Each structure stands twice: as structure tokens, then as C-alpha cells.
Amino acid sequence: MSVVTVFNQKGGVGKTTTCVNLTAALARMQRRPVAIDLDSQAHLTLSLGLRGVLGADSMAGFFKEERTLESLLQTAPGGMQVIPAHLELAKVDALFGSNKSIAGRLRAGVRSSFPHNGFPILIDCCPMMGVLTLNAVLAADRVLIPVSADYLSLQGVHRLDAALQALEKTLKRSFPRKVVVTRFDSRRRLSYEIYEKLGQHVGEALCRTCITENVSLAESPGHGMDIFSYAPQSQGAKDYRLLAEELQGEGFFD
């Protein structure tokens, strides 16, 4: 079992899109992944077509009512296994922010509910470093960082890398990570410049595969579908298939 947290402190970089479609790609590779939505906005949950989820049946139930993760598993319309989110998650910081032990609850929950399973678990978390995001990072074996091909996102990578390094020093453990460039536009010179500068900063941690700016990727969440179900022949589907194969080949999900 490998737990991968998809995280960036900047919004709008394709974090949820990446989590949804990597999960879908892995499902088509027969890896039987589980997606965990740890964002109170529940965008991953909605993107996979789950509607009307009750708070008690979401990750809010895990934190507030001590539900097991296994008991919260739902099957999305497309067939993927998902633990959904709910707006009630927004209260977790206020309820547990002063409890230092809360940061490790998700890590313990994953190992309790899925101790011997060989499937990958992907966690989509909110862009703010609070109780929920800290849980997601501490539960992770690896971190995947989507970065959109623009200047402000590039600057954010430096801050995020510094934050992860500080956690590594405090916890005395490493967080192996990969960076994937999203919203790449081959018509813009800036996209190539961002990719080159990221390579200079993170070296081999930069994925070879870039996710091209694609209208189907923007449309598919509105239909509650992953890109492979919505537009299997699109460039977005091709890119996420290649990304999954690249990361799989490097043992990122093992």
C-alpha cells in the first residue's frame, strides 16, 4: 500500500483534477485505488459524481464521530472507490486545532482500516496548511505536487518545498515527492520556461509528463465524470494515462 497526498498551497493548479484522473488511470491499470477527499469544498467528491453525501458518511464522520475509513468507502458512479468529503470538514480546525495528537489520526486510520492491502491511496487536500492538510501530509508515503505553468505557481513551489523540508527535519522522516506541470500550453513560451526553471530547482523530482491545457479536463467535473469516462480520446486522457504510467514505472504507487 502506498499513500500519495496530492498537495499544493496555491489553488487553481489542477490539484483535484490530478487526483481524480490519476485515480481513474490507476483503476484502468487494475491497481484498485482509493481516493480520499480531505477538502471541505468536496470538489473531488462532486467531480466523481457523488451527490447528497451526509456529513456522518464523509471524512467529517472520521474526525468528528470516529468512524473507520473502511466504513466510509463509497463507490462512485464510474466505479471508483472514494471516501467523500462534506462541508462539515470545515469545522475540524476549530474543533481540534489545539489537540496536538490529531495530526496523526489519518495516518493511524489508514493503517488500521487498510493494513494489508496493496492498492494505492490518493488524498486530495485543501490548499491551506491546517489540521486537515497536516493529516494528509503526515499520512503520506509520498507527495505529488501539481504546478500550473505560470510564474506565481513557480514561486509557490519554493515555499512548499521549504515547508516540507521543515516537516522532515522536525519529524525525522522524508517525504519523497514529485512535481507535475499542469495547464501546459505548447503555444506559450512561458510554459517551456516554467518547466525548465522547475527542472533546475527540483531536478529528477520533475515529471517528464506535462498535463496540457485541455477543455475536456475543465468540462468533465461538471458531468461528474473522470476524463477517461468523459472524453477518452482527448489530450487530457492521454496525458493522465502517461503520467500514471510514468509514476507507476518509478514505483511511486508501490
Side-chain angles (χ1 to χ4, degrees), residues 118-206:
F119 53 72
I121 296 174
L122 287 81
I123 304 173
D124 183 35
C125 50
C126 63
M128 296 174 290
M129 185 59 87
V131 169
L132 294 174
T133 298
L134 191 56
N135 264 270
V137 173
L138 295 185
D141 298 306
R142 298 171 182 86
V143 177
L144 180 63
I145 305 170
V147 179
S148 58
D150 62 73
Y151 178 75
L152 293 179
S153 291
L154 178 64
Q155 298 307 303
V157 170
H158 298 275
R159 294 192 296 273
L160 178 54
D161 196 43
L164 289 173
Q165 287 180 22
L167 276 175
E168 288 175 330
K169 184 176 181 180
T170 301
L171 299 172
K172 295 181 173 56
R173 58 164 291 203
S174 63
F175 293 100
R177 45 198 176 267
K178 296 286 286 187
V179 175
V180 57
V181 175
T182 61
R183 307 188 71 174
F184 187 93
D185 188 340
S186 60
R187 300 167 300 178
R188 298 170 61 203
R189 183 176 178 180
L190 177 62
S191 292
Y192 296 95
E193 291 177 353
I194 295 296
Y195 186 87
E196 181 180 354
K197 289 180 180 178
L198 274 171
Q200 294 170 358
H201 180 64
V202 304
E204 293 183 358
L206 181 62

Side-chain angles (χ1 to χ4, degrees), residues 222-241:
H223 296 269
M225 301 168 72
D226 63 80
I227 191 62
F228 302 99
S229 300
Y230 179 70
Q233 303 305 316
S234 67
Q235 185 64 43
K238 177 183 177 181
D239 290 345
Y240 275 111
R241 186 181 301 111

Side-chain angles (χ1 to χ4, degrees), residues 198-224:
L198 274 171
Q200 294 170 358
H201 180 64
V202 304
E204 293 183 358
L206 181 62
C207 293
R208 298 184 302 277
T209 304
C210 294
I211 307 301
T212 308
E213 184 86 337
N214 181 254
V215 66
S216 295
L217 286 173
E219 293 174 345
S220 57
H223 296 269

Side-chain angles (χ1 to χ4, degrees), residues 1 3 32 34 36 58-59 61-63 66-73 81 83 104-119 121:
M1 176 182 67
V3 181
R32 299 187 300 116
V34 170
I36 297 179
S58 74
M59 283 302 296
F62 171 76
F63 284 100
E66 300 188 8
R67 293 276 303 273
T68 66
L69 294 177
E70 190 174 17
S71 73
L72 297 170
L73 271 175
Q81 295 292 292
I83 302 180
R105 181 175 290 188
L106 181 57
R107 181 179 177 85
V110 166
R111 280 147 183 79
S112 175
S113 282
F114 311 115
H116 306 299
N117 293 309
F119 53 72
I121 296 174

